[in-house]
Amino acid sequence: MNYEMTIAGLKRSLPLFPINENLQIAAFIMLGDTEITEACARELLKKAPDYDILITAECKGIPLTYEMAKQAGKSYIVARKSPKLYMKDVLTVHSDSITTEGIQTLCLGGDDAQLLKGKRVLITDDVISTGGSLSALEKLVRRAGGEIAGKMAVLAEGDAAVRDDIIFLEALPLFDKDGKVI
């Protein structure tokens, strides 16, 4: 079963996947879809507040954030899922996300943290749902001494669509076990 929607002027068919016995989500996968990535980046930039640098969490938000940075002529940083050998003075936070089983870890190396210090940082992601990843990114930016300029996503899923602290292109509903919008 799929959910049909238009995002940044492009029609997409999103497959439904169960999260538990009573709830399903529509999977929006930007990875590999350059057409939707470029269009979403362009539309989000039209709504973006003033900022100096972008940040996203590894991994699905990377293509979007790269494309936004490219179109805007800005730099971007990726918060990694685990510390890497080349990362020094690592900042680490933990979060809970609907699409990641268990606790998610996000890390920034000291060099990336320095790039955020004193900067207006725009947090970006493909989908904001429970806000777990978003909260972790906010903590990382603040620990690094950055100022949150704004929080953006292509889609706001479920209750995220009624939040007034995020900017998004389209609302994405949740679905019951039979595929009906709830």
Side-chain angles (χ1 to χ4, degrees):
M1 186 173 294
N2 290 348
Y3 179 68
E4 309 295 326
M5 69 183 302
T6 300
I7 308 162
L10 301 171
K11 293 184 187 232
R12 291 296 184 266
S13 181
L14 310 181
L16 299 186
F17 289 96
I19 295 297
N20 60 43
E21 64 186 38
N22 298 314
L23 180 68
Q24 296 188 80
I25 61 170
F28 175 62
I29 311 296
M30 293 185 77
L31 296 172
D33 189 340
T34 56
E35 181 183 40
I36 196 83
T37 301
E38 290 171 358
C40 290
R42 184 173 45 256
E43 294 306 311
L44 283 170
L45 285 170
K46 290 176 184 176
K47 298 179 170 205
D50 289 336
Y51 68 96
D52 301 308
I53 191 167
L54 298 120
I55 190 170
T56 194
E58 190 175 40
C59 131
K60 291 190 321 179
I62 294 173
L64 172 69
T65 305
Y66 165 81
E67 187 60 30
M68 289 177 72
K70 179 179 152 194
Q71 289 181 23
K74 305 266 185 170
S75 296
Y76 74 100
I77 292 172
V78 176
R80 305 298 301 264
K81 289 183 179 179
S82 62
K84 305 302 174 195
L85 292 174
Y86 57 81
M87 296 168 75
K88 305 286 186 237
D89 304 317
V90 178
L91 299 178
T92 303
V93 297
H94 303 287
S95 72
D96 193 11
S97 169
I98 193 170
T99 57
T100 304
E101 191 172 337
I103 298 299
Q104 176 179 351
T105 300
L106 291 177
C107 306
L108 273 183
D111 291 342
D112 283 340
Q114 279 300 313
L115 293 173
L116 298 178
K117 189 173 185 177
K119 297 290 184 351
R120 296 170 299 167
V121 183
L122 183 59
I123 297 173
T124 58
D125 209 346
D126 59 337
V127 179
I128 295 174
S129 186
T130 62
S133 297
L134 182 67
S135 177
L137 286 168
E138 289 179 274
K139 288 176 190 171
L140 277 177
V141 169
R142 288 193 181 103
R143 280 192 193 166
E147 172 192 334
I148 307 292
K151 301 168 273 189
M152 302 187 88
V154 174
L155 303 175
E157 184 174 54
D159 290 343
V162 296
R163 291 176 57 162
D164 61 4
D165 66 325
I166 59 173
I167 300 165
F168 58 94
L169 297 180
E170 300 293 338
L172 181 62
L174 296 172
F175 303 87
D176 69 13
K177 64 182 179 181
D178 298 318
K180 293 182 181 148
V181 173
I182 53 176

